[in-house]
Amino acid sequence: QVQLVESGGGLVQAGGSLRLSCVASGRIFSINYMGWYRQAPGKQRELVARITSDSRTKYSDSVKGRFTISRDNAKKTVYLPMNSLKLEDTAVHYCNQGSWRDYLSNQPGDYWGQGTQVTVSS
């Protein structure tokens, strides 16, 4: 009932920038929280950033000051501009949609995108 489609990944040199986008369909976007997660090879999937329906945000310590999550409810889209990219940011990045209950319990929602690869080179 929900489809999430990410885009914007790619290969970039350290210090460069990318902007990820995620377009949602199938559910009323404006009442859901949205998140970005990432998973590097051999590592657990981890939260990068999340945003509530009224645009309150939270970030992983590792990306604070460099990434900015935002949403456009009219376009049913969440964005993740990523600046000052580091080698450690290399991962598959996934868009996630959850309910208020998911948000309160600090867990990802049930719906995931297919992922978009971000690769940072030296």
Side-chain angles (χ1 to χ4, degrees):
Q1 62 178 289
V2 173
Q3 185 176 15
L4 306 174
V5 180
E6 305 101 328
S7 62
L11 175 64
V12 65
Q13 287 189 325
S17 300
L18 289 170
R19 188 181 77 158
L20 305 185
S21 299
C22 173
V23 180
S25 64
R27 184 182 285 187
I28 300 174
F29 179 83
S30 62
I31 66 173
N32 292 293
Y33 94 86
M34 302 294 296
W36 286 98
Y37 290 73
R38 67 186 184 187
Q39 188 167 23
K43 301 196 70 176
Q44 296 286 109
R45 189 171 298 186
E46 64 177 357
L47 176 70
V48 177
R50 61 181 6 186
I51 185 166
T52 67
S53 59
D54 58 352
S55 295
R56 288 174 289 168
T57 60
K58 185 172 294 184
Y59 297 91
S60 166
D61 288 342
S62 64
V63 307
K64 284 181 179 177
R66 299 189 297 119
F67 297 4
T68 305
I69 190 170
S70 65
R71 65 192 293 160
D72 185 332
N73 289 338
K75 296 181 178 179
K76 297 182 178 180
T77 302
V78 61
Y79 303 98
L80 188 71
M82 305 180 294
N83 299 316
S84 302
L85 283 161
K86 304 175 180 179
L87 295 178
E88 301 81 61
D89 296 320
T90 295
V92 179
H93 287 66
Y94 298 92
C95 183
N96 177 255
Q97 183 182 97
S99 68
W100 181 244
R101 294 290 188 187
D102 297 323
Y103 177 81
L104 291 176
S105 62
N106 199 33
Q107 64 182 327
D110 292 336
Y111 303 102
W112 296 91
Q114 81 288 346
T116 185
Q117 177 71 48
V118 172
T119 302
V120 184
S121 64
S122 60

